[in-house]
């Protein structure tokens, strides 16, 4: 048994060694085998990190079986005279940073991990190891794994909104602003939306952000609804419904672009006419 490291699963109360764990995680995605070990995918990912068992990136499962066999690594032994489990990456020199800079560093590391391996691969232990600091230092920045993911989601949402506002200000009239805002949102969804979409698949993160997003939505949509009511002589109910319809079209298209089911260009071609159709329909109320 390489390295002599093993753990006992909750499901069967039997000892599982590194070799068996390694074979399992390179045979099927964590989401499919986690129940076998009596763990969640995230918990199994943490166990792999603790036992220094390498895991494939998400892109690995999109390869043909014969291609997978060519790049599957060998399980290397853990050094018996080492106080820490070996890392696949060179150890980094530990240094002290202000907490704001350390948090930014950990968020940057988490971003890379998610983009390469998915959210299940993020753990406080992994972030600490990648940053070259102790787990206690990492916990000083983020108490829990979900806090890291939630802060990443907040950051991405802020970036989306900052980009949207910058573009909208270029429009000289309402119609132009809507076109610019829609195109910009879909471009951003194609460029960076996959990260946010991945994070928001985590139920705990969605629950943490729900109240914050509702408050933000009220601040952003309130002026729009009031303007629509005044401009198009709509009731507030109609204005809210119309705004929600346009938003839903954009969000759904953005989701398809983010997960690669639709190219950015195709998303714009399909979404923009529907959005503009809603806007023109509202304008005709005054005709």
């Amino acid at each position: 048994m390489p390295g002599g490291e093993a753990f006992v699963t909750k499901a069967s109360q039997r000892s599982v060694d590194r070799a068996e764990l390694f074979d399992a995680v390179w045979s099927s995605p964590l989401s499919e085998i986690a129940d076998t070990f009596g763990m969640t995918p995230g918990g199994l990912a943490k166990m792999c990190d603790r036992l220094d068992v390498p895991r494939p990136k998400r892109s690995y499962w999109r390869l043909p079986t014969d291609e997978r066999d060519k790049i599957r690594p060998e399980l290397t032994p853990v050094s018996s005279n080492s106080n820490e489990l070996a890392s696949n990456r060179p150890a980094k020199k530990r240094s002290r940073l202000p907490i704001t800079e350390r948090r930014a560093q950990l968020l940057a590391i988490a971003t890379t991990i998610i983009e390469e391996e998915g959210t299940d691969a993020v753990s406080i232990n992994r972030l600490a190891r990648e940053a070259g600091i102790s787990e206690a230092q990492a916990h000083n920045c983020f108490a829990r794994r979900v806090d890291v993911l939630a802060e990443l989601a907040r950051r991405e949402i802020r970036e989306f909104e900052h980009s949207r506002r910058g573009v909208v200000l270029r429009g000289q009239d309402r119609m132009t602003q809507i076109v610019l805002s829609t195109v910009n949102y879909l471009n951003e969804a194609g460029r960076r939306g996959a990260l946010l979409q991945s994070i928001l698949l985590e139920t705990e993160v969605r629950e943490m952000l729900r109240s914050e997003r509702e408050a933000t939505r009220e601040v952003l949509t309130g002026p729009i609804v009031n303007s629509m009511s005044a401009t198009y002589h709509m009731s507030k109910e109609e204005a809210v419904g119309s705004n929600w319809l346009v938003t839903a079209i954009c969000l759904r298209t953005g989701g398809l672009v983010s997960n690669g089911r639709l190219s950015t260009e195709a998303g714009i071609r399909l979404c923009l006419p529907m959005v503009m159709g809603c806007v023109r329909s509202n304008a005709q109320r005054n005709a």
Side-chain angles (χ1 to χ4, degrees):
M1 182 171 63
E5 295 289 345
F7 69 101
V8 177
T9 68
K10 294 179 181 179
S12 61
Q13 291 298 306
R14 66 183 178 84
S15 179
V16 179
D17 64 34
R18 292 179 68 241
E20 183 177 351
L21 181 60
F22 174 82
D23 287 337
V25 300
W26 284 90
S27 298
S28 301
L30 295 185
S31 59
E32 296 181 9
I33 63 172
D35 284 346
T36 304
F37 293 95
M39 306 177 76
T40 64
L44 189 56
K46 293 178 184 177
M47 185 59 65
C48 288
D49 291 342
R50 187 169 73 81
L51 298 180
D52 192 32
V53 172
R55 293 176 283 112
K57 298 178 181 179
R58 286 186 295 176
S59 58
Y60 177 81
W61 302 111
R62 294 195 288 268
L63 297 173
T65 303
D66 58 338
E67 290 296 321
R68 296 181 198 170
D69 293 338
K70 294 177 183 178
I71 64 173
R72 174 171 167 162
E74 296 292 330
L75 178 61
T76 57
V78 175
S79 175
S80 59
N81 58 7
S82 174
N83 290 326
E84 295 183 358
L85 292 178
S87 171
N88 289 332
R89 303 190 183 190
K92 299 180 180 179
K93 183 179 179 180
R94 296 192 176 190
S95 60
R96 292 195 176 277
L97 291 175
I99 191 167
T100 53
E101 293 183 28
R102 183 66 75 192
R103 284 170 61 90
Q105 179 194 32
L106 295 179
L107 290 176
I109 294 171
T111 297
T112 300
I113 292 173
I114 293 171
E115 290 175 343
E116 294 181 353
E117 305 174 44
T119 56
D120 286 343
V122 176
S123 67
I124 298 297
N125 175 279
R126 172 81 178 274
L127 296 179
R129 190 172 71 245
E130 296 279 348
I133 61 177
S134 69
E135 191 168 348
Q137 285 178 288
H139 276 295
N140 286 337
C141 298
F142 296 101
R144 303 169 298 164
R145 166 184 176 274
V146 69
D147 295 320
V148 177
L149 298 178
E151 188 55 35
L152 271 180
R154 293 186 188 100
R155 185 193 71 182
E156 292 303 296
I157 292 170
R158 286 195 300 268
E159 289 297 326
F160 265 89
E161 181 57 21
H162 176 74
S163 177
R164 185 193 70 82
R165 289 182 179 181
V167 167
V168 167
L169 292 175
R170 302 175 195 168
Q172 300 299 313
D173 56 73
R174 178 65 178 158
M175 189 73 76
T176 303
Q177 290 176 345
I178 292 173
V179 171
L180 291 174
S181 179
T182 302
V183 171
N184 178 74
Y185 169 70
L186 294 176
N187 278 323
E188 287 294 292
R191 185 173 69 89
R192 64 188 303 154
L195 176 63
L196 181 59
Q197 291 287 332
S198 296
I199 297 170
L200 292 180
L201 288 175
E202 298 265 341
T203 304
E204 249 190 305
V205 174
R206 291 200 306 274
E207 291 301 319
M208 286 181 66
L209 299 181
R210 188 184 304 279
S211 60
E212 298 173 23
R213 297 178 74 185
E214 288 176 353
T216 301
R217 187 181 297 116
E218 183 63 28
V219 171
L220 294 176
T221 62
I224 295 174
V225 168
N226 292 336
S227 175
M228 291 175 65
S229 295
T231 303
Y232 303 127
H233 304 297
M234 290 178 155
S235 66
K236 184 174 182 179
E237 180 184 23
E238 290 174 319
V240 169
S242 178
N243 182 65
W244 268 106
L245 179 60
V246 171
T247 300
I249 292 171
C250 291
L251 289 177
R252 180 55 177 162
T253 308
L256 293 172
V257 170
S258 295
N259 61 31
R261 296 184 180 180
L262 198 63
S263 69
T264 301
E265 295 74 15
I268 292 172
R269 287 198 303 270
L270 292 171
C271 181
L272 198 55
M274 289 187 282
V275 170
M276 299 312 298
C278 291
V279 175
R280 292 193 182 96
S281 176
N282 292 336
Q284 289 175 358
R285 296 170 64 96
N286 293 333

